[in-house]
């Protein structure tokens, strides 16, 4: 099965672009010809639909949602895969797949979990203790290293808390782990695999590329505030059923406020309004707009902004990091792995992060009898396999499985697929990550509005970046704030707190060492501004 077979609608749109290249977007002085609305919402993923619902809840019904794909859901994206005994396909999630942090009795509940219950979304507890470990010779027990990491992580987390509370300088997650006693050698492939399982698999980046303070804080906010459980979604309607469900509470069937298959090319914005131009020459002129473009799309320069986004906004966009997380699915005629186990961790003898985590869907509670297993890779391994053919990637995955299970004759898979997230023109990656040495105020610049153009999505969530519930919180807040501005209400109440008016941004962001400290005493004898040959 070709990896991109699901995107029939997208392909149709791509083909539709070609004639429109000559029909360049009209300039802003022809706004009169554009469809008018109060709020243009750019993207119909979790953030966009939640923003629209917040507007609806505030009695703002005049909005238009503009979506690239032929469906609602964004990165909550599923497709058919393989076949059941009756010949019908299974449904797999290409993108987000877990409800992360559910909620403890009496405590706050993750809003995504609330929606999952509302729509009876099928989901199963992911048991991270149900794991077996392997290397190139087959089963070999190094699960003790996972516990060893956990002990060091707890120590590191406490230190990250002190850094946050005392406003001390951020570090890389690598430095935080090392000073807490977890310092794996590059050649210790089992420790590297245990670390990947614990860190990279969640962050979609290695510890070197992750903030110590905000990496730990983000994990705390989801898993300490809600609960430490993760549930895996296995619903035949797809994870997006909760987003479809919420959309149907305020959108009618064929609602003219939802424009699917519409690729935005240009945005003009000011303190008075926003005009959004699309590939087909259509445009929408709005009092306000809420961009829910992924960080990857914003980073790619795929959209022309007029005027150019201000420097502080461009810096924020380029400073935060977009991760790529790739699930490689295989279906077999039979399950040759222990079906009572959920996870299989593989330590490649040469390459960190080479098909490290395998997950059985054939296990009881998931899709028993499906004989489906999938591997996950991130980052450079994702970029590498995106450039390969399915056949090349399948051969690599099969070689790894044959190393892991040397005593069984493993047949060729009967189905194989994986998404190519880094190349998807509507996402350019999977989800965001907080880089080391980047402050909360630097992040606030990612959320802040530029004129009447607002921003929402998982990446704009300081507390829940990378998570689907981050997109929900940010969509709700942007929608509620914009509704208040439209209605001339000063503030919106959130529990005991309130938010009023536009968002703050910080320009400039100051450094941590004042220029007066750049001295010989501190090892800075020569100015970096000096050029030899200058007078
Ligand atoms: C809109 O109101 C409904 C009903 O009170 C509520 O369930 C939902 O969470 C609200 N949505 C947002 C985005 O605030
Ligand atoms: C994370 O939670 C742990 C456990 O409650 C706490 O000790 C630590 O200070 C927290 N760290 C941050 C950065 O919030
Ligand atoms: C929605 O559009 C489809 C396809 O154009 C049409 O068949 C259907 O009757 C419409 N439904 C409603 C409720 O208008
Ligand atoms: C639209 O954006 C593109 C860049 O994506 C830019 O080259 C072009 O000039 C823009 N058009 C207008 C009318 O602003
Ligand atoms: C595979 O077979 C070899 C030789 O019979 C045996 O030593 C080894 O324990 C087996 N490995 C597994 C994972 O069953």
């Amino acid at each position: 099965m070709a990896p991109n077979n699901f995107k029939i609608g997208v392909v149709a749109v791509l083909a539709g672009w070609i004639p429109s290249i000559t029909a360049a977007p009209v300039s802003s002085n022809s706004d009169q010809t554009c469809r008018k609305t109060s709020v243009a919402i750019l993207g119909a993923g979790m953030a966009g639909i939640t923003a629209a619902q917040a507007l609806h809840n505030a009695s703002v019904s005049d909005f238009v949602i503009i979506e690239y794909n032929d469906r609602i859901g964004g990165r909550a994206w599923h497709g058919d895969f393989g076949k059941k005994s009756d010949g019908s396909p299974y449904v797999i999630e290409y993108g987000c797949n877990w409800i992360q942090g559910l909620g403890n009795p009496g405590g706050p509940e993750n809003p995504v979990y609330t929606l999952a219950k509302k729509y009876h979304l099928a989901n199963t507890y992911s048991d991270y203790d149900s794991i077996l470990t392997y290397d190139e010779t087959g089963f070999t027990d190094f699960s003790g290293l996972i516990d060893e990491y956990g002990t060091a992580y707890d120590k590191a987390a406490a230190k990250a808390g002190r850094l946050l509370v005392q406003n001390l300088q951020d570090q890389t997650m690598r430095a935080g782990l090392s000073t807490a006693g977890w310092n794996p050698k590059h050649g210790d492939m089992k420790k590297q695999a245990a670390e990947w399982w614990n860190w990279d698999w969640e962050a979609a980046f290695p510890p070197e590329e992750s903030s110590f303070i905000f990496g730990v804080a983000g994990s705390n906010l989801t898993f300490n505030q809600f609960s430490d459980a993760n549930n895996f979604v296995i619903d035949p309607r797809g994870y997006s059923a909760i987003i479809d469900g919420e959309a149907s509470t305020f959108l009618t069937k064929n609602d003219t406020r939802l424009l699917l298959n519409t690729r935005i090319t240009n945005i003009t914005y000011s303190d008075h309004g926003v005009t959004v131009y699309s590939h087909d020459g259509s445009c929408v002129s709005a009092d306000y707009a809420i961009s829910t473009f992924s960080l990857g799309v914003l980073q790619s320069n795929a959209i022309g902004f007029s005027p150019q986004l201000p420097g502080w906004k461009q810096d924020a966009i380029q400073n935060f990091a977009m991760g790529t997380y790739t699930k490689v699915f295989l279906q077999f005629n039979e399950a040759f792995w222990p079906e009572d186990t959920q996870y299989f961790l593989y330590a490649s003898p040469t390459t960190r992060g080479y098909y490290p985590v395998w997950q059985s869907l054939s296990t009881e509670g998931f899709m028993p009898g499906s004989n489906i297993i999938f591997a996950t890779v991130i980052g450079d391994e994702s970029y590498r396999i995106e450039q390969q053919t399915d056949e090349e990637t399948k051969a690599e995955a099969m070689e790894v499985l044959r190393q892991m299970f040397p005593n069984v004759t493993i047949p060729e898979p009967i189905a194989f697929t994986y998404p190519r997230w880094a190349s998807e023109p509507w996402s350019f990656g999977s989800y965001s990550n907080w880089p080391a040495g980047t402050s909360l105020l630097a992040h606030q610049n990612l959320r802040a509005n530029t004129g009447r153009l607002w921003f929402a999505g998982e990446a704009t969530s300081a507390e829940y970046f990378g998570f689907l519930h981050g997109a929900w919180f940010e969509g709700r807040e942007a929608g509620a704030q914009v509704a208040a501005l439209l209605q001339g209400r000063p503030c919106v109440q959130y529990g005991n707190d309130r938010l009023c008016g536009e968002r703050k941004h910080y320009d400039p962001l100051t450094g941590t060492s004042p220029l007066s400290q750049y001295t010989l005493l501190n090892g800075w004898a020569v100015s970096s501004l000096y050029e030899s040959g200058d007078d």
Side-chain angles (χ1 to χ4, degrees), residues 134 137-139 404-408:
Y134 298 79
T137 65
F139 174 78
M404 291 168 71
F405 302 99
N407 291 0
V408 283

Side-chain angles (χ1 to χ4, degrees), residues 476-494:
R476 179 181 67 157
E477 192 187 301
Q481 293 304 119
V482 165
L485 286 166
L486 273 170
Q487 296 168 339
R489 286 182 285 124
C491 299
V492 179
Q493 199 73 28
Y494 294 88

Side-chain angles (χ1 to χ4, degrees), residues 145-203:
L145 296 174
I146 294 173
D147 303 327
E148 199 181 302
Y149 173 99
T151 306
Y153 177 86
D154 289 346
K155 195 173 161 200
K159 178 173 168 182
R162 287 194 296 278
L163 297 185
L164 188 152
V165 168
Q166 297 172 25
N167 187 29
L168 302 178
Q169 204 168 107
D170 192 18
Q171 309 178 358
T172 61
M173 193 65 207
R174 165 66 62 225
L177 288 170
S178 295
T179 54
W182 175 265
N183 194 4
K185 295 196 164 49
H186 291 296
D188 189 336
M189 302 316 286
K190 295 187 173 72
K191 275 198 166 180
Q192 294 290 346
E195 179 178 276
W196 197 102
W197 160 263
N198 279 292
W199 185 261
D200 302 43
W201 192 33
E202 183 72 55

Side-chain angles (χ1 to χ4, degrees), residues 50 53-54 57 118 246 472 476:
T50 308
Q53 190 183 43
N57 284 5
K118 179 174 177 184
E246 287 299 89
W472 188 89
R476 179 181 67 157

Side-chain angles (χ1 to χ4, degrees), residues 375-418:
T376 300
V377 298
I378 60 136
D380 286 342
E381 283 300 308
S382 291
Y383 308 144
R384 191 180 65 77
I385 71 170
E386 285 199 15
Q387 304 310 313
Q388 296 188 154
T389 63
D390 281 18
E391 287 305 315
E392 287 166 331
T393 303
K394 189 201 289 184
E396 290 178 356
M398 289 299 292
E399 193 192 341
V400 169
L401 284 172
R402 289 182 175 125
Q403 290 177 10
M404 291 168 71
F405 302 99
N407 291 0
V408 283
T409 308
I410 303 179
E412 280 299 301
I414 55 173
F416 180 83
T417 195
Y418 60 101

Side-chain angles (χ1 to χ4, degrees), residues 25-26 265-266 301-304:
V26 274
T265 58
N266 290 73
N301 299 323
I303 316 273

